[in-house]
């Protein structure tokens, strides 16, 4: 078992640091899964909220449910600590913003790290008790979603690309929620990578599995892959690269978000899965149990 932060077959390095692309080497994508602590737990009271900007704290206060508030705080503390690990800048000194773009109704742009000392791109998603963060040296998008009900699939399915919807309808009804969740996270990860989010119609881009006879090719210049995310969620990442990346997936313990001496370093985050040459090597069976946190 390699030490935390080490990759099998490669030299040890700090956990999650996105590497600057090297000609001839595969691109790298670092992914982190986090289960936030319960809102009424001692762990929630130890979160390093001092590292967040005033705007993030104001946004957190808008959540009515304490569980949602702690999830937001945990996600943003984790993001700052991961970016700090990648850049060497203290988390509280990082400045986050939005990529410049034309002002259009319902249009978003990618979140960016302002004035980074290193070229680091990132994406963040959270849903029903699970947080996913991705970092890379090129544009990245990630998404995590709880598996929907069959009724939700019937309502949302017609908004997909026609070939995607035909592929879902060809499945047994019992298998459609899981397949829809996998597809939807691929789609949202890609749209986040584009910087449009759902301001771009979900029907425009095909991100299916290729079983429909009339399915078009997927988006050129992008690698979009689903991730193991446990029995109740689906997750995906999209990376703007032409070649298959090396992907590391780590579990981020809540103690890595604590303030003061009680906090663990990011190097304590265990490696859950590694994907290279087109397949996953699981270090923890996320398909059989919830990810540790």
């Amino acid at each position: 078992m390699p030490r935390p932060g080490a990759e099998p077959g490669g030299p040890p390095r700090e956990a999650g640091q996105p590497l600057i692309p090297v000609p001839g080497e595969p691109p790298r994508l670092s992914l982190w899964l986090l289960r936030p602590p319960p809102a009424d737990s001692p762990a929630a009271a130890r979160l390093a909220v001092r590292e967040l900007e005033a705007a993030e704290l104001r946004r957190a206060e808008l959540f009515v449910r304490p569980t949602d508030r702690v999830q937001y705080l945990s996600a943003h503390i984790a993001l700052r600590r991961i970016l700090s690990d990648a850049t060497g800048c203290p988390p509280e000194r990082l400045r986050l913003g939005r990529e410049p773009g034309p002002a259009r109704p319902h249009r978003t742009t990618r979140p960016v790290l302002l004035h980074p000392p290193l070229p680091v791109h990132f994406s963040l998603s959270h849903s029903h008790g699970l947080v996913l963060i991705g970092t890379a040296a090129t544009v990245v998008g990630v998404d995590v979603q709880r598996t929907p009900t069959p009724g939700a699939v019937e309502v949302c399915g017609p908004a997909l690309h026609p070939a995607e919807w035909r592929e879902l309808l060809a499945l047994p009804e019992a298998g459609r929620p899981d397949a829809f969740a996998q597809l939807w996270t691929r789609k949202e990860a890609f749209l986040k990578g584009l910087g449009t989010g759902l301001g771009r119609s979900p029907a425009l881009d095909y991100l299916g599995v290729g079983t429909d006879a009339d399915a078009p090719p997927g988006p050129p210049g992008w690698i979009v892959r689903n991730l193991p995310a446990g029995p109740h969620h689906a997750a995906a990442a999209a990376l703007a690269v032409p070649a298959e990346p090396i992907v590391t997936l780590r579990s981020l313990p809540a103690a890595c978000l604590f303030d003061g001496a009680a906090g663990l370093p990011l190097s304590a985050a265990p490696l859950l899965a590694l994907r290279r040459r087109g397949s996953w090597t699981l270090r923890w069976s996320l398909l059989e149990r919830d990810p540790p946190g």
Side-chain angles (χ1 to χ4, degrees):
M1 182 73 178
R3 70 165 178 81
E7 295 177 6
R13 64 184 182 88
E14 291 303 314
Q17 282 195 330
L19 300 182
I20 298 174
V22 176
E25 290 192 3
R28 292 178 180 267
L29 171 61
S30 296
L31 298 167
W32 309 76
L33 278 173
L34 164 69
R35 186 166 296 282
D40 57 352
S41 68
R46 300 169 80 175
L47 294 174
V49 294
R50 64 173 182 80
E51 295 177 356
L52 301 180
E53 292 183 336
E56 291 170 302
L57 296 174
R58 288 194 297 270
R59 175 69 185 274
E61 290 303 315
L62 295 178
F63 289 97
V64 175
R65 296 176 64 236
T67 297
D68 295 333
R69 187 180 310 118
V70 170
Q71 178 172 269
Y72 176 89
L73 291 170
S74 299
H76 282 252
I77 293 168
L79 175 63
R80 285 181 170 273
R81 292 201 165 182
I82 290 168
L83 293 176
S84 173
D85 182 69
T87 63
C89 183
E92 63 274 16
R93 293 180 56 188
L94 295 170
R95 294 295 173 261
L96 307 180
R98 288 279 175 180
E99 190 177 53
R104 298 174 187 171
H106 311 296
R107 185 187 189 278
T108 61
T109 56
R110 281 186 294 266
V112 295
L113 183 59
L114 302 178
H115 312 298
L118 291 172
V120 180
H121 295 263
F122 66 90
S123 185
L124 166 67
S125 180
H126 45 80
S127 173
H128 298 88
L130 196 62
V131 175
L132 175 63
I133 297 171
T135 59
T138 189
V139 170
V140 60
V142 302
D143 189 60
V144 62
Q145 299 282 341
R146 187 167 65 175
T147 304
T149 64
V153 174
E154 292 299 318
V155 170
C156 299
L160 297 169
H161 188 284
E164 295 170 342
W165 185 223
R166 290 193 298 268
E167 289 175 354
L168 286 173
L169 291 176
L171 297 173
E173 187 173 352
R176 290 175 193 169
D178 285 338
F180 177 88
Q182 296 285 322
L183 168 62
W184 190 259
T185 55
R186 292 196 302 272
K187 190 170 290 284
E188 280 223 47
F190 169 66
L191 294 177
K192 287 181 179 181
L194 283 184
T196 65
L198 291 175
R200 180 178 174 89
S201 169
L204 292 178
D205 306 290
Y206 174 77
L207 287 149
V209 294
T211 58
D212 185 79
D214 296 320
W222 288 82
I223 299 292
V224 185
R225 298 288 181 264
N226 282 112
L227 320 169
H232 308 300
H233 290 79
L239 196 63
V241 293
E244 191 74 35
I246 295 174
V247 186
T248 54
L249 176 65
R250 291 181 170 85
S251 170
L252 191 61
C256 288
L257 312 181
F258 289 173
D259 204 359
L264 294 177
L266 289 190
S267 59
L271 180 68
L272 298 178
L274 172 72
R275 182 188 174 102
R276 64 190 309 165
R277 299 185 181 91
S279 62
W280 286 102
T281 300
L282 295 178
R283 302 290 172 179
W284 187 282
S285 181
L286 293 178
L287 301 180
E288 296 177 359
R289 64 176 77 183
D290 288 334

